[in-house]
Amino acid sequence: MILATYSSHSTAYEVQGAPALPTSTLFQSEDIFDLEYATHPQISPDGAKILYTRNSNDIMTDKRHSSMWLIDTKSGQQTPLFSDQFQYSQATWSPDGKRIAFVSNRTGSNQIHVHYIMQNRTMTVSRLEKSARNLSWSPDGDAIAFTMSVDDKPTKLAKMPKKPIGANWAPPVIVIDKARYQADGTGLLKLAYTHIFAIPSIGGTERQLTQGNFHHRGKLTWTVDSKAIVFSANRSVNWEYETLESDLYQVNLSDGELTQLTKQSGREYHPVFSPSGKKLAFLKTSAENNPYRNAKLHVMNWQSKSTQAIAADFDRSIVDPQWITNKALAIQYDDFGKRKVAKLSLKGKITDLTDGVSGTSTGRPYISGNYSIDKHGSVAFTHGSANRPADISLINQKGQLKKLTHLNEDLLGHKTLGEVHEVTYSSSFDQEKIQGWYITPPNFDPNKKYPLILEIHGGPHLAYGPHFSAELQRFAAQGYVVFYDNHRGSSSYGERFAMLLKYKYSSKEDYADHDSGVNAMIDMGFIDKDNLFIAGGSAGGIASAYAIGLTDRYAAAAVAKPVINWISKVLTADSYLGQTATQFPGLPWEHVEHYWQRSPLSLVGNVTTPTLLITGESDRRTPISETEQFYQALKLRKVDTVMVRVPGSPHGIAGRPSRMIAKIENILAWFEKYKK
């Protein structure tokens, strides 16, 4: 059943048979370099201006470029604050709205800067050895708190002989003794800990406020008197193994005295004070060994330190609470494939303000985006849609919506994009209701038959929705109907739905959700059932590899950055500390049969589907050794397969524009090879 259509495009071209419109009217791979999107909207305290980051791609450097812009909320006029060859991030208003702090490499390294609005002058505040994160102004505007990594001495076992002057020895050995020793995108981790610092907002010397071999990360919030900072950390001796634990602490600016504020089981994090400073809101998740946990909002009475849960029965995960008044907050949450901003009273009443937060994930149609709110209740947010990446929009105090930017009209305004439609159906496994979407090609004719691509999202506890996707629009432009669903385990449907996949990722159950969706698409009458294709990345890559071990209905498969053998994966990847506890009933050598049953490699003897494999050579989340196992197993079975290796790439193989294009075009070429 078709529920909704998310597209304003009606211009058409002929996919099959008659001549097509010029290629320039379709979405092409090179268009990816020209896409832009907005992030990090920050509305000024008085609501007069919105500060945001404008992101684009540089075709010469093959990297993303960020600049800072200001919007006048009344006139809509835009002003480039910083738009040059440097990078800008973490922009945040001073409490009085007269200054903006941000991080930039404009002096040669990432440093904290402060821009004075009225004077149109900018000063470099810091001279840091490493980049600052989590900038936070003190309420009096005199200081800026931030977090920064501090190196510790590396572990050494043996004493080496002295190297002669001028000798050319091999690099020294690396001794590793920490449980968490690697991270995707970073590689082997240097021995370092994240600490909290403060620096005068007019420049000066930074001062380290926290000590010890612990990490102090995430949002920093100042007490109303500007004398202390509240933050989240796990300062247990066994913190490396306690991945689901953290508490709130307070550190005094004057003497560094540390006070523990919470001692509950689970994670307490993202603290934020009410305007009066009398209440502290924070988020909390449980410590149960579950793969999915809703984040709940709690409020602490600052004087008594007593806490209470707000909207405790709300079955969605709350993100980024921001105080509007002393009696109400704004929150963000995901619901049925969309991201919403809502008002939450301290009595637990939730009033939705918008469901249009979207558009900061341009590759695939993941839920994404963020917002900010001023003291009057006006909301600035990243506003995306099925056919546009994120712009900046404003909802004023009267609830009126105004779109303030149109970043991609120069590119997409004359393009004919595929239309996104919603579909719901029942899974053949247990009749569970599944929500999905499909994109029809430009000039779609329901009387014709089209090849279908099933594209499966990662996570698995993430979600797709009716959001812009460069990758899927390219598939549609080539004449494919693209189907994607939020199978069991997906977020934005509550804990019950997410937990349906506990200890079952991947399995016949989640494949039944996908398979039933494909059948629902065929029943609509415009799908060529002899030209079905399957693709997915990360958790979607696992699901794709598992699926072709269960069925031969797909003409070809594209499996990106998969797990093929769970026993080897959890013992070689960077996520093993949390994954073995939350996604499995125990350790691999204690539950070999369970790990093996969930591994696509256990089904490789059934596979006949031609398979493309693509993974980054520096991937530490799903190491390329997983891909190599499947590739070699398929070659031993003489199943047609190719392995596409992305040099130097971590798990995010589409992290640079040319790599996104390479991913898309190789998949399309593979599918075209096997289209019947």
Side-chain angles (χ1 to χ4, degrees), residues 456-467:
I456 305 173
H457 73 65
H461 303 294
L462 295 173
Y464 278 163
H467 313 296

Side-chain angles (χ1 to χ4, degrees), residues 35 91 121 214 227 271 290 338 358 426 443 482 487 493 532 549 590 602 619 626 654 659:
L35 288 173
R121 295 288 186 271
F214 309 104
K227 293 182 178 180
N290 288 326
K338 292 185 177 182
S358 176
S426 298
N443 201 32
V482 187
H487 54 82
Y493 301 90
L532 306 177
E590 298 171 346
S602 70
D619 192 329
E626 295 295 309
R659 285 177 173 168

Side-chain angles (χ1 to χ4, degrees), residues 226-531:
S226 298
K227 293 182 178 180
I229 298 167
V230 175
F231 61 94
S232 177
N234 185 338
R235 292 177 59 89
S236 163
V237 173
N238 294 316
W239 64 265
E240 285 187 288
Y241 297 93
E242 297 173 353
T243 59
L244 303 180
E245 294 284 353
S246 67
D247 297 298
L248 296 182
Y249 290 84
Q250 172 187 308
V251 61
N252 291 342
L253 202 65
S254 60
D255 56 9
E257 181 184 0
L258 200 65
T259 304
Q260 187 169 350
L261 301 173
T262 63
K263 298 181 180 179
Q264 306 167 32
S265 175
R267 293 184 62 226
E268 293 88 55
Y269 62 101
H270 198 94
V272 56
F273 274 104
S274 63
S276 67
K278 294 181 179 180
K279 297 183 183 297
L280 178 73
F282 61 93
L283 297 175
K284 179 173 176 54
T285 55
S286 79
E288 294 183 19
N289 283 332
N290 288 326
Y292 180 88
R293 295 163 298 280
N294 274 341
K296 301 289 187 179
L297 182 74
H298 289 243
V299 173
M300 175 187 293
N301 182 299
W302 188 242
Q303 184 175 5
S304 67
K305 300 300 186 288
S306 61
T307 66
Q308 69 176 61
I310 308 297
D313 295 332
F314 184 54
D315 189 20
R316 293 294 185 269
S317 197
I318 292 176
V319 177
D320 195 15
Q322 301 179 28
W323 288 92
I324 308 171
T325 68
N326 289 312
K327 296 182 179 180
L329 301 97
I331 61 169
Q332 184 176 283
Y333 71 96
D334 297 343
D335 187 47
F336 287 91
K338 292 185 177 182
R339 178 155 292 174
K340 296 181 176 181
V341 174
K343 181 179 179 181
L344 173 60
S345 73
L346 293 185
K347 293 182 179 181
K349 181 181 178 181
I350 297 174
T351 306
D352 288 345
L353 301 176
T354 180
D355 67 356
V357 183
S358 176
T360 60
S361 172
T362 58
R364 289 183 284 165
Y366 282 111
I367 299 176
S368 63
N370 39 58
Y371 82 105
S372 69
I373 195 162
D374 69 10
K375 60 184 178 182
H376 305 297
S378 295
V379 181
F381 64 100
T382 54
H383 190 183
S385 67
N387 52 35
R388 293 292 185 274
D391 280 294
I392 298 297
S393 284
L394 175 72
I395 298 176
N396 64 20
Q397 304 163 43
K398 298 179 181 179
Q400 299 168 324
L401 173 66
K402 183 179 182 181
K403 194 171 185 179
L404 298 172
T405 68
H406 303 274
L407 299 181
N408 288 284
E409 292 312 303
D410 56 336
L411 171 67
L412 300 179
H414 64 280
K415 296 284 182 179
T416 305
L417 299 179
E419 291 189 4
V420 178
H421 315 260
E422 185 176 333
V423 59
T424 57
Y425 57 92
S426 298
S427 173
S428 62
F429 182 79
D430 54 7
Q431 300 305 302
E432 184 74 33
K433 290 294 182 183
I434 305 297
Q435 183 183 31
W437 293 265
Y438 62 95
I439 306 176
T440 50
N443 201 32
F444 172 71
D445 182 349
N447 296 314
K448 294 179 182 265
K449 298 288 187 180
Y450 293 83
L452 176 78
I453 297 176
L454 163 64
E455 212 281 338
I456 305 173
H457 73 65
H461 303 294
L462 295 173
Y464 278 163
H467 313 296
F468 180 82
S469 166
E471 296 186 25
L472 305 195
Q473 284 291 342
R474 270 295 295 139
F475 295 158
Q478 291 302 110
Y480 292 86
V481 171
V482 187
F483 168 69
Y484 56 94
D485 64 68
N486 282 339
H487 54 82
R488 67 191 62 216
S490 300
S491 58
S492 80
Y493 301 90
E495 283 193 352
R496 183 200 68 84
F497 189 82
M499 291 292 287
L500 290 176
L501 206 58
K502 184 177 181 180
Y503 301 160
K504 299 173 183 177
Y505 148 51
S506 283
S507 65
K508 294 180 180 179
E509 295 180 29
D510 59 301
Y511 177 65
D513 297 349
H514 304 308
D515 191 63
S516 299
V518 171
N519 290 335
M521 294 301 302
I522 292 173
D523 289 343
M524 292 183 186
F526 50 79
I527 300 301
D528 181 354
K529 63 182 180 180
D530 293 324
N531 273 308

